[in-house]
């Protein structure tokens, strides 16, 4: 079974400081990992993904994430936070090959609210 | 701007009403999804359609009835809902199944916010 954990309900950071939003995963096969961001009353926007290759993945809006297989983690990072980065962030996983035939959907973490103070 | 369009953006209905949520994508994606999201919670998978056929039903009550008329359209028919069904309903699409080489990222619409009175 595939699962993902986001241990922090909320992360607070001052504008201009680096930010990290944590994510750990569990899969039977290989992980495909994703980060999404959700602004209030909006849908989810895709930020970045790890499929294979370099462990450091760069995405939209200056975000990046580091895949660490030994720690089964995929933490989201940004060198310098902006107030406009304040939103709800979801980590998601999809295992390959899928454990169940036809099981192709993502499993989402519980979400982390990022609050960037001016 | 999202390429997955959902209508209506807001819907208020009584428990005896019949209504539908609609979703449309023109990215040529062959998999489409319905998710339900409660406030400050992650999206919960409801249904998956692959090549216009229902491939996953996550034990959703029969008062929710999905329909995929063609590869671009996905509907969710609502009947006899309960107040606890009030939520944001998200539609998403993805390129293909993994067998087709897709890595599976989903593209979401803005959602339809449903309130059941």
């Amino acid at each position: 079974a595939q699962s993902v954990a986001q241990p922090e309900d909320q992360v607070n950071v001052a504008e201009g400081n680096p930010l990290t939003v944590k994510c750990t995963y569990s899969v039977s096969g290989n992980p495909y990992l994703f980060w999404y961001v959700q602004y209030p009353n909006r849908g989810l926007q895709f930020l970045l993904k790890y499929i294979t290759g370099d462990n450091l993945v760069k995405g939209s809006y200056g975000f990046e994430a580091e895949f660490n297989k030994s720690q089964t983690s995929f933490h989201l990072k940004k060198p310098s936070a902006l107030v406009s980065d304040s939103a709800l962030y979801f980590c998601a996983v999809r295992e390959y090959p899928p454990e169940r035939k036809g099981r192709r959907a993502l499993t989402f973490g519980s979400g982390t609210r990022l609050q960037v103070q001016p | 701007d999202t390429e997955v369009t959902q209508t209506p953006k807001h819907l208020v209905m009584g428990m005896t009403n019949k209504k539908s949520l609609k979703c449309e994508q023109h990215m040529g994606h062959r998999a489409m999804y319905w998710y339900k999201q409660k406030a400050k919670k992650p999206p919960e998978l409801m249904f998956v359609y692959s090549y216009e056929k229902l491939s996953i039903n996550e034990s959703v009550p029969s008062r929710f009835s999905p329909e995929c008329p063609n590869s671009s359209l996905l509907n969710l028919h609502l009947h006899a809902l309960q107040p606890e069904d009030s939520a944001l309903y998200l539609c998403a699409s993805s390129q293909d199944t993994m067998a087709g080489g897709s890595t599976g990222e989903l593209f979401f619409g803005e959602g339809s916010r449903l309130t059941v009175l």
Side-chain angles (χ1 to χ4, degrees):
Chain A
Q2 57 191 35
S3 66
V4 62
Q6 293 181 242
E8 303 154 315
D9 289 336
Q10 182 157 328
V11 169
N12 297 309
V13 64
E15 188 174 30
N17 284 359
L19 69 88
T20 298
V21 182
K22 296 180 180 177
C23 171
T24 58
Y25 66 90
S26 175
V27 295
S28 301
N30 300 305
Y32 288 0
L33 293 155
F34 307 85
W35 275 102
Y36 286 83
V37 60
Q38 187 176 33
Y39 296 96
N41 298 311
R42 304 294 295 275
L44 277 69
Q45 295 178 32
F46 170 74
L47 277 180
L48 50 79
K49 66 182 178 183
Y50 171 82
I51 304 302
T52 187
D54 289 342
N55 290 340
L56 186 62
V57 178
K58 294 188 183 298
S60 307
Y61 313 120
F63 283 94
E64 57 189 29
E66 186 169 11
F67 171 67
N68 187 317
K69 187 173 183 178
S70 63
Q71 298 184 5
T72 62
S73 66
F74 190 56
H75 301 330
L76 181 70
K77 300 181 180 184
K78 188 173 182 181
S80 178
L82 300 172
V83 173
S84 57
D85 292 330
S86 299
L88 188 57
Y89 290 80
F90 290 102
C91 182
V93 69
R94 176 168 162 172
E95 65 187 358
Y96 185 78
E99 183 182 58
R100 283 192 281 147
K101 183 179 179 181
R103 192 63 169 102
R104 291 182 291 272
L106 296 183
T107 296
F108 287 88
S110 55
T112 298
R113 183 163 301 281
L114 174 65
Q115 195 70 39
V116 182
Q117 284 103 18
Chain B
D1 290 341
T2 181
E3 295 185 69
V4 177
T5 304
Q6 290 186 242
T7 55
K9 292 191 186 307
H10 300 276
L11 178 62
V12 179
M13 59 186 291
M15 289 190 286
T16 58
N17 292 157
K18 284 186 180 180
K19 297 286 184 182
S20 296
L21 305 181
K22 298 185 183 300
C23 176
E24 189 170 5
Q25 59 88 13
H26 293 288
M27 294 179 281
H29 289 174
R30 302 313 300 266
M32 296 187 76
Y33 308 75
W34 280 115
Y35 281 84
K36 173 183 177 180
Q37 187 181 27
K38 292 284 214 178
K40 301 180 182 180
K41 297 293 185 182
E44 298 174 11
L45 182 65
M46 299 175 73
F47 302 104
V48 180
Y49 274 83
S50 179
Y51 290 85
E52 301 158 45
K53 292 185 179 178
L54 184 65
S55 63
I56 296 176
N57 177 340
E58 290 288 319
S59 303
V60 179
S62 60
R63 57 185 184 269
F64 294 92
S65 175
E67 178 195 19
C68 190
N70 59 56
S71 61
S72 299
L73 294 174
L74 185 66
N75 299 322
L76 186 63
H77 303 298
L78 314 170
H79 174 54
L81 294 193
Q82 303 297 312
E84 58 264 30
D85 296 323
S86 299
L88 182 67
Y89 288 84
L90 294 165
C91 173
S93 69
S94 65
Q95 182 181 7
D96 205 335
T97 65
M98 284 184 146
S102 168
T103 52
E105 65 261 41
L106 303 183
F107 295 82
F108 283 85
E110 294 291 339
S112 293
R113 183 160 297 283
L114 173 66
T115 302
V116 182
L117 301 177

